[in-house]
Amino acid sequence: MVSLRSPSRLPVVGVLAAGRTYRHLLYLLLAIPLGFLYSALFSFGFVFGLLSAVVLVGFVVLLATLLGARIAAGFERWLANRLLGTDLERYDDVPADTDGAVAGVRKYVDAASTWRGVGFLLLKYFVTVIAFVPLVALAFGLPLVLAPLRYPYVATFGESNGEPVTWAIETLPEALLAASVGVIGVLAALHVTNLVAYVCRQMATALLGETTEDEAGPVRESVADDGRDSARSDDGSSGTSDSAGGDDSAPFDDAFIPADAVDPDSDGAPVGDEDRP
Protein backbone atom coordinates (compact mmCIF):
# COMPACT_ATOMS: atom_id res chain seq x y z
CA MET A 1 0.00 0.00 0.00
CA VAL A 2 1.33 3.42 -0.97
CA SER A 3 1.30 5.95 1.88
CA LEU A 4 0.84 9.57 0.82
CA ARG A 5 2.85 11.98 2.95
CA SER A 6 1.40 15.37 3.77
CA PRO A 7 3.30 18.13 1.92
CA SER A 8 3.55 20.14 5.14
CA ARG A 9 5.62 17.32 6.72
CA LEU A 10 8.30 17.38 4.06
CA PRO A 11 11.72 18.56 5.26
CA VAL A 12 12.79 22.14 4.45
CA VAL A 13 10.13 22.86 1.80
CA GLY A 14 7.17 21.64 3.87
CA VAL A 15 7.04 25.02 5.53
CA LEU A 16 5.48 26.39 2.33
CA ALA A 17 2.43 24.11 2.66
CA ALA A 18 1.93 24.41 6.43
CA GLY A 19 -1.02 26.60 7.38
CA ARG A 20 0.56 27.49 10.70
CA THR A 21 3.41 29.21 8.87
CA TYR A 22 1.08 31.85 7.48
CA ARG A 23 -0.67 32.27 10.83
CA HIS A 24 2.74 32.89 12.34
CA LEU A 25 3.52 35.31 9.56
CA LEU A 26 0.32 37.23 10.28
CA TYR A 27 1.24 37.31 13.97
CA LEU A 28 4.59 38.92 13.16
CA LEU A 29 2.94 41.41 10.82
CA LEU A 30 0.63 42.47 13.64
CA ALA A 31 3.46 42.42 16.18
CA ILE A 32 5.28 45.31 14.49
CA PRO A 33 2.61 48.02 14.96
CA LEU A 34 1.47 46.56 18.29
CA GLY A 35 5.00 46.47 19.66
CA PHE A 36 5.62 50.13 18.85
CA LEU A 37 2.20 51.07 20.23
CA TYR A 38 2.82 49.28 23.52
CA SER A 39 6.28 50.77 23.80
CA ALA A 40 5.04 54.31 23.23
CA LEU A 41 1.95 54.20 25.44
CA PHE A 42 3.26 52.26 28.42
CA SER A 43 6.69 53.89 28.46
CA PHE A 44 5.00 57.28 28.55
CA GLY A 45 2.51 56.11 31.18
CA PHE A 46 5.08 54.68 33.58
CA VAL A 47 7.62 57.48 33.13
CA PHE A 48 5.07 60.29 33.42
CA GLY A 49 3.36 58.56 36.34
CA LEU A 50 6.60 58.14 38.28
CA LEU A 51 7.72 61.71 37.63
CA SER A 52 4.36 63.12 38.72
CA ALA A 53 3.92 60.74 41.64
CA VAL A 54 4.42 63.61 44.07
CA VAL A 55 0.91 64.71 43.22
CA LEU A 56 -2.26 62.66 42.98
CA VAL A 57 -2.36 62.68 39.19
CA GLY A 58 0.78 60.57 39.03
CA PHE A 59 -0.82 57.68 40.91
CA VAL A 60 -3.89 57.93 38.70
CA VAL A 61 -1.71 57.67 35.59
CA LEU A 62 0.19 54.69 37.00
CA LEU A 63 -3.02 52.85 37.88
CA ALA A 64 -4.49 53.59 34.47
CA THR A 65 -1.31 52.28 32.84
CA LEU A 66 -1.47 49.06 34.86
CA LEU A 67 -5.11 48.51 33.97
CA GLY A 68 -4.32 49.24 30.33
CA ALA A 69 -1.51 46.68 30.49
CA ARG A 70 -3.97 44.07 31.76
CA ILE A 71 -6.33 44.82 28.87
CA ALA A 72 -3.46 44.64 26.36
CA ALA A 73 -2.27 41.34 27.90
CA GLY A 74 -5.79 39.94 27.49
CA PHE A 75 -5.76 40.92 23.83
CA GLU A 76 -2.34 39.33 23.38
CA ARG A 77 -3.61 36.13 25.02
CA TRP A 78 -6.51 36.05 22.55
CA LEU A 79 -4.10 36.70 19.67
CA ALA A 80 -1.79 33.89 20.80
CA ASN A 81 -4.70 31.46 21.03
CA ARG A 82 -5.83 32.32 17.51
CA LEU A 83 -2.49 32.53 15.68
CA LEU A 84 0.14 30.72 17.76
CA GLY A 85 -1.83 27.60 18.64
CA THR A 86 -1.92 28.14 22.41
CA ASP A 87 -4.89 27.32 24.62
CA LEU A 88 -4.66 29.81 27.46
CA GLU A 89 -7.11 31.14 30.02
CA ARG A 90 -6.57 34.21 32.15
CA TYR A 91 -5.02 33.77 35.57
CA ASP A 92 -7.56 33.47 38.35
CA ASP A 93 -5.62 35.48 40.93
CA VAL A 94 -7.86 38.55 41.29
CA PRO A 95 -10.43 38.30 44.12
CA ALA A 96 -14.00 38.73 42.94
CA ASP A 97 -15.35 40.36 46.12
CA THR A 98 -13.65 43.39 47.62
CA ASP A 99 -14.80 46.03 50.08
CA GLY A 100 -14.31 49.60 48.97
CA ALA A 101 -12.72 51.36 46.02
CA VAL A 102 -9.21 51.19 47.46
CA ALA A 103 -9.39 47.42 47.88
CA GLY A 104 -10.85 47.14 44.39
CA VAL A 105 -7.82 48.90 42.92
CA ARG A 106 -5.30 47.18 45.16
CA LYS A 107 -6.37 43.69 44.05
CA TYR A 108 -5.13 44.46 40.54
CA VAL A 109 -1.86 45.89 41.82
CA ASP A 110 -1.25 42.87 44.04
CA ALA A 111 -2.13 40.34 41.32
CA ALA A 112 0.89 38.60 39.85
CA SER A 113 -0.89 38.36 36.49
CA THR A 114 -0.75 42.15 36.17
CA TRP A 115 3.03 42.21 36.34
CA ARG A 116 3.36 39.15 34.13
CA GLY A 117 1.36 41.01 31.51
CA VAL A 118 3.63 44.05 31.86
CA GLY A 119 6.65 41.80 31.40
CA PHE A 120 5.20 40.28 28.24
CA LEU A 121 4.47 43.70 26.76
CA LEU A 122 8.04 44.80 27.43
CA LEU A 123 9.39 41.69 25.72
CA LYS A 124 7.01 42.22 22.81
CA TYR A 125 9.09 45.23 21.74
CA PHE A 126 12.14 43.00 21.19
CA VAL A 127 9.97 40.57 19.24
CA THR A 128 9.01 43.52 17.03
CA VAL A 129 12.65 44.21 16.25
CA ILE A 130 13.38 40.55 15.44
CA ALA A 131 10.22 40.31 13.31
CA PHE A 132 11.76 42.70 10.79
CA VAL A 133 14.36 40.09 9.78
CA PRO A 134 12.08 37.48 8.14
CA LEU A 135 9.71 40.13 6.79
CA VAL A 136 12.52 42.01 5.06
CA ALA A 137 13.89 38.72 3.68
CA LEU A 138 10.47 37.95 2.22
CA ALA A 139 10.19 41.43 0.74
CA PHE A 140 13.49 40.94 -1.10
CA GLY A 141 13.08 37.24 -1.91
CA LEU A 142 9.60 37.18 -3.44
CA PRO A 143 10.44 39.54 -6.37
CA LEU A 144 13.48 37.41 -7.18
CA VAL A 145 11.31 34.28 -7.36
CA LEU A 146 9.33 35.96 -10.13
CA ALA A 147 12.44 37.05 -12.02
CA PRO A 148 12.01 34.57 -14.93
CA LEU A 149 8.60 36.12 -15.62
CA ARG A 150 9.63 39.77 -15.49
CA TYR A 151 13.24 40.10 -16.69
CA PRO A 152 14.93 42.28 -17.69
CA TYR A 153 14.59 44.35 -14.55
CA VAL A 154 16.75 45.76 -11.77
CA ALA A 155 16.33 44.42 -8.24
CA THR A 156 17.06 46.94 -5.49
CA PHE A 157 18.29 45.85 -2.06
CA GLY A 158 18.57 49.13 -0.21
CA GLU A 159 21.48 51.53 0.06
CA SER A 160 25.09 51.37 1.12
CA ASN A 161 27.08 54.57 1.76
CA GLY A 162 24.36 56.55 0.07
CA GLU A 163 24.47 54.41 -3.06
CA PRO A 164 21.67 51.97 -4.02
CA VAL A 165 22.51 48.27 -3.98
CA THR A 166 21.04 46.77 -7.16
CA TRP A 167 21.17 43.66 -9.30
CA ALA A 168 20.54 44.05 -13.01
CA ILE A 169 18.84 40.89 -14.30
CA GLU A 170 18.89 40.93 -18.09
CA THR A 171 19.20 37.32 -19.33
CA LEU A 172 17.37 34.06 -18.68
CA PRO A 173 20.31 32.40 -16.85
CA GLU A 174 20.52 35.44 -14.58
CA ALA A 175 16.77 35.26 -14.02
CA LEU A 176 16.96 31.56 -13.12
CA LEU A 177 19.82 32.25 -10.73
CA ALA A 178 17.85 35.07 -9.17
CA ALA A 179 14.83 32.79 -8.79
CA SER A 180 16.99 30.20 -7.02
CA VAL A 181 18.33 32.84 -4.64
CA GLY A 182 14.80 34.07 -4.07
CA VAL A 183 13.49 30.57 -3.22
CA ILE A 184 16.31 30.06 -0.72
CA GLY A 185 15.61 33.45 0.83
CA VAL A 186 11.86 32.77 1.11
CA LEU A 187 12.40 29.35 2.71
CA ALA A 188 14.89 30.79 5.19
CA ALA A 189 12.52 33.65 6.02
CA LEU A 190 9.60 31.29 6.69
CA HIS A 191 11.70 29.05 8.93
CA VAL A 192 12.84 32.10 10.90
CA THR A 193 9.19 33.16 11.12
CA ASN A 194 8.27 29.84 12.73
CA LEU A 195 11.24 30.11 15.08
CA VAL A 196 10.25 33.60 16.26
CA ALA A 197 6.64 32.45 16.63
CA TYR A 198 7.82 29.54 18.77
CA VAL A 199 9.61 31.97 21.11
CA CYS A 200 6.48 34.12 21.29
CA ARG A 201 4.37 31.06 22.08
CA GLN A 202 6.66 30.13 24.95
CA MET A 203 6.50 33.72 26.24
CA ALA A 204 2.71 33.71 26.09
CA THR A 205 2.46 30.35 27.87
CA ALA A 206 4.73 31.56 30.65
CA LEU A 207 3.29 35.05 31.15
CA LEU A 208 -0.22 35.43 29.76
CA GLY A 209 -2.34 32.63 31.18
CA GLU A 210 -2.85 29.09 32.32
CA THR A 211 -3.20 26.17 29.95
CA THR A 212 -6.62 24.56 29.86
CA GLU A 213 -5.31 20.99 29.64
CA ASP A 214 -6.93 18.60 32.14
CA GLU A 215 -4.00 17.69 34.35
CA ALA A 216 -6.21 15.65 36.69
CA GLY A 217 -6.77 12.98 34.03
CA PRO A 218 -3.66 10.91 34.81
CA VAL A 219 -4.47 11.15 38.53
CA ARG A 220 -7.97 9.86 37.97
CA GLU A 221 -6.65 7.05 35.78
CA SER A 222 -4.14 6.13 38.46
CA VAL A 223 -6.85 6.09 41.10
CA ALA A 224 -9.04 3.96 38.83
CA ASP A 225 -6.19 1.55 38.24
CA ASP A 226 -5.57 1.31 41.98
CA GLY A 227 -9.24 0.60 42.51
CA ARG A 228 -9.19 -2.16 39.94
CA ASP A 229 -6.07 -3.65 41.50
CA SER A 230 -7.68 -3.48 44.93
CA ALA A 231 -10.81 -5.15 43.62
CA ARG A 232 -8.74 -7.89 42.05
CA SER A 233 -6.84 -8.30 45.30
CA ASP A 234 -10.06 -8.51 47.27
CA ASP A 235 -11.48 -11.01 44.84
CA GLY A 236 -8.32 -13.05 45.00
CA SER A 237 -8.24 -13.08 48.77
CA SER A 238 -11.89 -13.98 49.00
CA GLY A 239 -11.39 -16.72 46.43
CA THR A 240 -8.52 -18.13 48.44
CA SER A 241 -10.49 -18.14 51.62
CA ASP A 242 -13.42 -19.78 49.87
CA SER A 243 -11.24 -22.45 48.43
CA ALA A 244 -9.66 -23.03 51.80
CA GLY A 245 -13.04 -23.21 53.51
CA GLY A 246 -14.44 -25.58 50.89
CA ASP A 247 -11.46 -27.92 50.69
CA ASP A 248 -12.66 -31.52 50.98
CA SER A 249 -9.21 -32.76 51.89
CA ALA A 250 -9.42 -31.55 55.51
CA PRO A 251 -8.40 -34.40 57.88
CA PHE A 252 -11.39 -33.96 60.17
CA ASP A 253 -14.82 -32.55 59.80
CA ASP A 254 -16.78 -30.67 62.43
CA ALA A 255 -18.79 -33.77 63.61
CA PHE A 256 -18.94 -34.39 67.35
CA ILE A 257 -16.72 -37.26 68.62
CA PRO A 258 -17.37 -38.64 72.14
CA ALA A 259 -14.43 -38.52 74.51
CA ASP A 260 -14.57 -42.27 75.22
CA ALA A 261 -14.23 -43.03 71.55
CA VAL A 262 -10.71 -41.59 71.42
CA ASP A 263 -7.70 -43.68 72.28
CA PRO A 264 -5.42 -41.74 74.62
CA ASP A 265 -2.33 -43.32 73.08
CA SER A 266 -3.31 -42.51 69.57
CA ASP A 267 -3.17 -39.24 67.63
CA GLY A 268 -6.82 -38.57 68.08
CA ALA A 269 -8.23 -41.08 65.62
CA PRO A 270 -11.54 -42.73 66.71
CA VAL A 271 -11.39 -46.21 68.10
CA GLY A 272 -13.62 -48.96 66.72
CA ASP A 273 -15.88 -51.26 68.74
CA GLU A 274 -13.35 -54.08 68.57
CA ASP A 275 -10.76 -51.95 70.40
CA ARG A 276 -13.01 -50.98 73.28
CA PRO A 277 -12.50 -52.79 76.63
Side-chain angles (χ1 to χ4, degrees):
M1 180 181 293
V2 178
S3 177
L4 297 179
R5 189 174 184 181
S6 174
S8 61
R9 303 181 68 87
L10 295 175
V12 183
V13 297
V15 69
L16 293 171
R20 63 185 179 89
T21 300
Y22 302 99
R23 291 193 296 270
H24 295 168
L25 187 60
L26 177 59
Y27 183 86
L28 295 189
L29 286 172
L30 294 175
I32 292 177
L34 288 175
F36 284 112
L37 179 64
Y38 297 153
S39 177
L41 291 180
F42 296 117
S43 296
F44 172 79
F46 282 115
V47 172
F48 181 79
L50 290 175
L51 293 178
S52 58
V54 293
V55 294
L56 183 60
V57 66
F59 291 101
V60 174
V61 171
L62 286 175
L63 291 176
T65 304
L66 285 178
L67 294 178
R70 286 188 63 88
I71 295 174
F75 173 73
E76 286 292 332
R77 180 171 56 250
W78 176 84
L79 204 62
N81 288 340
R82 294 299 180 273
L83 299 179
L84 297 182
T86 59
D87 192 9
L88 302 175
E89 290 183 349
R90 65 182 181 88
Y91 290 109
D92 189 15
D93 60 349
V94 178
D97 299 330
T98 54
D99 297 331
V102 176
V105 173
R106 183 177 179 180
K107 67 180 182 180
Y108 292 106
V109 178
D110 292 341
S113 58
T114 300
W115 302 103
R116 289 192 183 102
V118 172
F120 180 87
L121 297 178
L122 292 176
L123 292 175
K124 190 66 180 283
Y125 176 76
F126 297 99
V127 173
T128 300
V129 176
I130 299 174
F132 275 105
V133 176
L135 295 179
V136 170
L138 283 175
F140 288 149
L142 288 175
L144 293 179
V145 173
L146 300 176
L149 302 178
R150 53 183 300 190
Y151 77 96
Y153 88 103
V154 178
T156 304
F157 302 100
E159 294 184 357
S160 178
N161 297 325
E163 297 292 332
V165 178
T166 61
W167 183 8
I169 303 172
E170 300 178 351
T171 63
L172 181 58
E174 290 179 344
L176 295 176
L177 176 61
S180 301
V181 173
V183 169
I184 294 174
V186 168
L187 290 175
L190 294 180
H191 280 288
V192 174
T193 297
N194 287 337
L195 178 61
V196 176
Y198 170 78
V199 174
C200 293
R201 183 166 59 248
Q202 297 302 107
M203 288 168 43
T205 302
L207 299 174
L208 292 183
E210 299 175 340
T211 57
T212 58
E213 297 177 355
D214 188 6
E215 298 179 355
V219 177
R220 287 198 296 267
E221 293 176 0
S222 177
V223 172
D225 293 340
D226 292 341
R228 287 194 294 269
D229 294 339
S230 177
R232 286 194 295 268
S233 177
D234 292 340
D235 294 340
S237 61
S238 61
T240 304
S241 61
D242 293 342
S243 62
D247 190 0
D248 295 335
S249 63
F252 301 104
D253 55 12
D254 294 336
F256 175 75
I257 301 176
D260 57 357
V262 179
D263 186 2
D265 298 331
S266 65
D267 294 334
V271 180
D273 293 339
E274 65 276 11
D275 295 332
R276 292 182 182 179

